[in-house]
Amino acid sequence: MKVLIIGGGGREHALAWKLSGSPRVTDLYASPGSDAIAALAQCVNLTDHQAVADFAEKEGIDLTVVGPEAPLVDGLADLLSARGLRAFGPSRAAAALEGSKAFAKNFMQRHNIPTAPHATFDDPEAACAYLEKQEGPYVIKADGLAAGKGVVIRLEREEARQAIHSMMVDKAFGTAGERVVIEGFLRGEEASYFVISDGANYVALPSVQDHKPIGELDRGPNTGGMGAYCPAPVVTPETERKVLKQIVEPTLRGMAADGHPYSGVLYVGLMISDGDPYVVEYNCRFGDPECQPLMMMLESDLADLLDGAARGEIAQVKPRWRKGAAACMVMASGGYPGEYSKGAAIHGLGQTEEDDTARVFHAGTARSNGGWATNGGRVLGVTAWGENLSAALERGYRMVEGISWEGATYRRDIGLKGLKHDRAGRPGVNVGIVLGSASDMEIADKVTSVLERLNIGYELAVASAHRTPQRVSRFIKACQEQGAEVFIAIAGMAAALPGVVAAETVLPVIGVPVKSSAFEGMDALLSIAQMPPGVPVATVGVNGGANAALLAAEILALKYPDLQAGLKEYRLDQENQIEEAHRAAGLSKLI
C-alpha cells in the first residue's frame, strides 16, 4: 500500500511515524514533509492540488492522507476523488464545518446540537452595536481559518470592541476575520473529542485535552496548542455517551441529510459544563498537538483506520488502544505566537531516549550544520506514554528538560487539570480544624479559603483545651472516622490546644498561634513550639492560617496526585503574580 501524507508539521510527523510502522504500508511519501519526516518518508514538493493529484496518479498512491485543514477547505479531497483516487479527509462542503464558524453555528442551530448562543456580522459597527446588549465575558471568533489563533475572549466591552476592530478593520487574521461570530461565554472545562467516519459509520477515539493559551494557567493569547494529553478525565463515561448521542451522531446525520456526508476525522472542541457537553468548534482534521498523544495511545495499525474510512468500511475496523495515558509538551520559540526568530541551534535532541512509547515530534525544525535548528513558532512536541497521567507527564517533562535552545519556552502545567480529577481514594474530609475560641474565626477563614481553593474537604469546630477537653477528643475521633489525615489547631495565649490534639491522635498536627494578648501572639507561638517530647506539633507563624493550610495540603499531596497538581498550580499562580507586578511597575527587562 502506497501512502502520501500532505503537510509537514508535528501532526504529520506523528502520522508518518505511526504509518511507517504499518506492515501494510510499503511506500510512504510526504508533501512537503520536513527534514524530520524525511527519516520516515520520501519527501516531495508538490506545489498545488493539481500536482498532488498528478503525483498520486503517476505513482499509484493508494491513499492520500491530508493533514492540515486549509487543503481540505480548499477542496483537495474533492479533486482526488474526481480523479478516482482515495483520500482521507472530508469534502470541501463538509470541511466548511471548520472553514466557516458561521456555517458551523447555523448547522448546529438547524440540527439542535448544543452550543453557545451566537450572532454573525460582516459589518464592524453592527458587531459593536450588538456588544452593547450583551454581558461579558465576550467571545469573538474570526469566521475563517486562522491557524487556531482566531478566537479572543475579552472581559471588558471596550476590549471586545478593539478585538472586533483588529479582526475586521486591521485584518489581524487576513480575510479570515472579515466576518466574525460573537457568541456567549460557556463556563466549564474544555476537551477535544475525535471520531473517524466514513460518512455513515464512525469509530471513536480517546478524549483529549488541549492547552491553547501561551501562558501557564491559561493566560495570554491563544496559540495553535502548547500541549495535550489523553484520555481527559473531564470526559467521564456518562459525558462521553452524551457527546456521541447529542453531538457526534446528530452531526454526522445532519451532514449526510444536507447532502455532504462527512468522511475523515471529525474533531469536536467541547466545553463540559456540569457534565453536559457543548460544541465550541468543529475541526475537519486531527488536532495539533492532540494527534501526537493519540498516535502514542494507538496500539493497532493506523493504516487500517484511515483506509477503512476512505473505503467506506470503517465499521469493520476495531482499533486497539493502550491503557494508561499519553502527554505532549510543546516547546516553542521565544515570542510565539507573536514575532519570533528562526535558526537557533537546538541542543540535546541526540541524547533524548526514544522508543515506541516516547518520541520527539518535530513541528518547526530544520537540519543545520549536522544538527537541528528552530524553523517555526512551535518547534517540538515531546510526547510520552505512562501507566497513568502522572507517569506520562513525569517522563515527558524529563525529556523536555534535556532539550534547549536560546529563547525556548514551554508550559509547565500541561496535564494538571487532568491530575486534579484523580481523587481516587481521597476522603471527603481530609482536614480537621479546631479553634480554641470563636474569636479565632478570622484565622480559620484563611485556612478554609486555601483548602477550598485546593478542593480539600474539612470539618471545623470550636473546642477549648482547658474548658472542654472531652469535646476536643470527640471531635478528633469523629474526624478520623470521616477519613481526616491532618489536623490544624488554632489557639492564642497559653495555646495548649495543639498539644491536646496531638495527644489524641498519631496523625500530623499543625498549630497556628493567634495574636490575642498583650504579647502579640509570641506567647502562643512559644507555647506551641515547645511541646513536650513525644507530642510533636508543626508550628507556623503568628496568624499563619494560610501557611497552615498549605502545609496540610503538602502532607496530603504525598499520597494524592490531584493535590500535587493543585499545589503546582498554586505555586505557578504565585509566580505569575510576581511577574505581572514586575511588568506593571516597569522594572528591569533582564529577567
Side-chain angles (χ1 to χ4, degrees):
M1 179 179 178
K2 294 183 176 181
V3 178
L4 168 64
I5 299 171
I6 303 300
R11 165 184 48 223
E12 290 76 34
H13 191 192
L15 293 172
W17 169 70
K18 198 65 183 175
L19 286 168
S20 69
S22 168
R24 294 184 58 192
V25 177
T26 56
D27 298 273
L28 185 60
Y29 302 88
S31 173
S34 67
D35 289 345
I37 292 174
L40 304 167
Q42 182 178 336
C43 294
V44 290
N45 188 22
L46 307 173
T47 55
D48 55 36
H49 295 351
Q50 198 65 46
V52 170
D54 289 344
F55 178 85
E57 197 169 62
K58 178 183 176 183
E59 296 295 329
I61 299 297
D62 299 292
L63 179 67
T64 299
V65 178
V66 186
E69 62 274 18
L72 293 167
V73 172
D74 199 34
L76 177 56
D78 305 74
L79 176 61
L80 291 168
S81 179
R83 298 271 291 264
L85 299 163
R86 284 202 309 280
F88 177 79
S91 66
R92 181 202 300 264
L97 281 176
E98 178 171 4
S100 170
K101 300 292 190 296
F103 173 89
K105 282 291 186 180
N106 291 335
F107 172 85
M108 286 183 270
Q109 190 170 14
R110 286 188 290 108
H111 293 281
N112 298 312
I113 295 167
T115 189
H118 69 282
T120 302
F121 299 93
D122 296 301
D123 176 49
E125 291 186 7
C128 290
Y130 176 80
L131 288 179
E132 298 299 323
K133 306 172 187 176
Q134 308 302 314
E135 296 294 328
Y138 304 93
V139 181
I140 301 105
K141 296 182 175 181
D143 177 55
L145 299 179
K149 305 169 192 174
V151 179
V152 297
I153 300 173
R154 296 292 182 262
L155 298 177
E156 303 298 331
R157 189 173 288 135
E158 181 55 36
E159 293 177 335
R161 289 194 199 96
Q162 292 172 6
I164 290 171
H165 190 277
S166 174
M167 288 187 190
M168 303 188 77
V169 179
D170 295 339
K171 300 290 193 287
F173 301 113
T175 58
E178 290 178 348
R179 175 189 292 176
V180 300
V181 174
I182 302 175
E183 61 180 51
F185 182 77
L186 293 171
R187 299 185 185 278
E189 190 172 339
E190 290 191 66
S192 303
Y193 198 83
F194 297 82
V195 299
I196 293 177
S197 172
D198 60 7
N201 298 299
Y202 68 88
V203 167
L205 280 59
S207 58
V208 190
Q209 187 167 78
D210 187 16
H211 300 65
K212 282 290 186 187
I214 184 65
E216 290 159 348
L217 307 185
D218 292 336
R219 302 185 182 193
N222 273 349
T223 70
M226 291 300 294
Y229 69 92
C230 71
V234 68
V235 183
T236 64
E238 176 59 27
T239 299
E240 184 172 25
R241 283 190 287 271
K242 292 179 181 178
V243 171
L244 293 173
K245 297 301 179 184
Q246 298 174 15
I247 296 173
V248 169
E249 292 173 8
T251 298
L252 296 177
R253 284 197 305 268
M255 292 302 289
D258 290 352
H260 315 304
Y262 194 99
S263 175
V265 61
L266 176 67
Y267 166 163
V268 186
L270 298 169
M271 182 67 76
I272 311 298
S273 180
D274 295 326
D276 290 324
Y278 298 84
V279 178
V280 174
E281 64 177 0
Y282 290 111
N283 289 326
C284 62
R285 36 67 190 184
F286 283 108
D288 186 349
E290 293 100 327
C291 184
Q292 288 86 318
L294 281 172
M295 293 303 101
M296 193 64 70
M297 290 293 288
L298 181 61
E299 200 168 46
S300 54
D301 195 334
L302 176 63
D304 291 343
L305 271 172
L306 307 188
D307 193 44
R311 288 178 178 274
E313 300 171 353
I314 196 68
Q316 300 176 25
V317 182
K318 307 297 180 187
R320 298 187 313 277
W321 302 95
R322 281 192 172 109
K323 295 180 180 179
C328 173
M329 281 65 75
V330 170
M331 301 183 72
S333 297
Y336 174 79
E339 293 184 6
Y340 56 86
S341 59
K342 299 180 181 180
I346 302 174
H347 307 286
L349 277 178
Q351 288 74 50
T352 303
E353 183 179 340
E354 297 183 78
D355 55 31
D356 65 341
T357 60
R359 304 289 298 185
V360 178
F361 296 113
H362 293 231
T365 66
R367 283 286 187 185
S368 176
N369 298 320
W372 293 97
T374 63
N375 193 40
R378 291 186 298 166
V379 178
L380 301 172
V382 181
T383 307
W385 172 89
E387 293 182 355
N388 52 46
L389 179 56
S390 181
L393 292 169
E394 181 180 355
R395 187 178 185 189
Y397 274 116
R398 191 164 60 243
M399 294 168 67
V400 167
E401 289 165 3
I403 303 170
S404 65
W405 64 87
E406 186 177 354
T409 183
Y410 60 90
R411 283 180 56 165
R412 295 169 293 171
D413 63 341
I414 304 302
L416 293 190
K417 290 178 184 177
L419 291 176
K420 287 170 66 179
H421 283 275
D422 184 9
R423 288 178 55 92
R426 189 152 74 83
V429 176
N430 270 142
V431 179
I433 308 166
V434 58
L435 295 73
S437 167
S439 63
D440 299 333
M441 276 303 302
E442 182 180 350
I443 308 304
D445 288 343
K446 295 179 180 179
V447 176
T448 57
S449 65
V450 173
L451 295 181
E452 289 169 3
R453 176 174 175 177
L454 295 171
N455 200 24
I456 296 174
Y458 60 86
E459 285 289 337
L460 185 66
V462 175
S464 169
H466 300 97
R467 301 180 182 88
T468 59
Q470 298 87 355
R471 184 177 173 84
V472 176
S473 179
R474 289 197 303 271
F475 179 69
I476 300 304
K477 182 179 179 181
C479 284
Q480 290 182 157
E481 289 174 351
Q482 294 294 313
E485 296 166 280
V486 180
F487 287 92
I488 296 175
I490 305 171
M493 291 191 277
L497 182 60
V500 172
V501 173
E504 293 285 347
T505 181
V506 295
L507 295 173
V509 177
I510 303 166
V512 184
V514 178
K515 181 181 178 181
S516 59
S517 72
F519 294 101
E520 301 290 308
M522 292 305 297
D523 50 344
L525 175 63
L526 293 173
S527 295
I528 297 172
Q530 297 185 87
M531 287 294 121
V535 188
V537 175
T539 310
V540 295
V542 176
N543 291 358
N547 274 351
L550 287 170
L551 179 55
E554 289 172 353
I555 292 169
L556 293 167
L558 295 171
K559 183 177 180 181
Y560 300 113
D562 66 314
L563 293 183
Q564 296 173 21
L567 283 167
K568 186 169 183 179
E569 279 192 354
Y570 191 94
R571 294 288 177 85
L572 289 173
D573 186 45
Q574 288 182 313
E575 283 187 31
N576 282 327
Q577 290 179 34
I578 295 295
E579 290 177 6
E580 288 171 5
H582 182 91
R583 285 195 297 269
L587 301 180
S588 173
K589 296 181 180 180
L590 295 177
I591 58 173

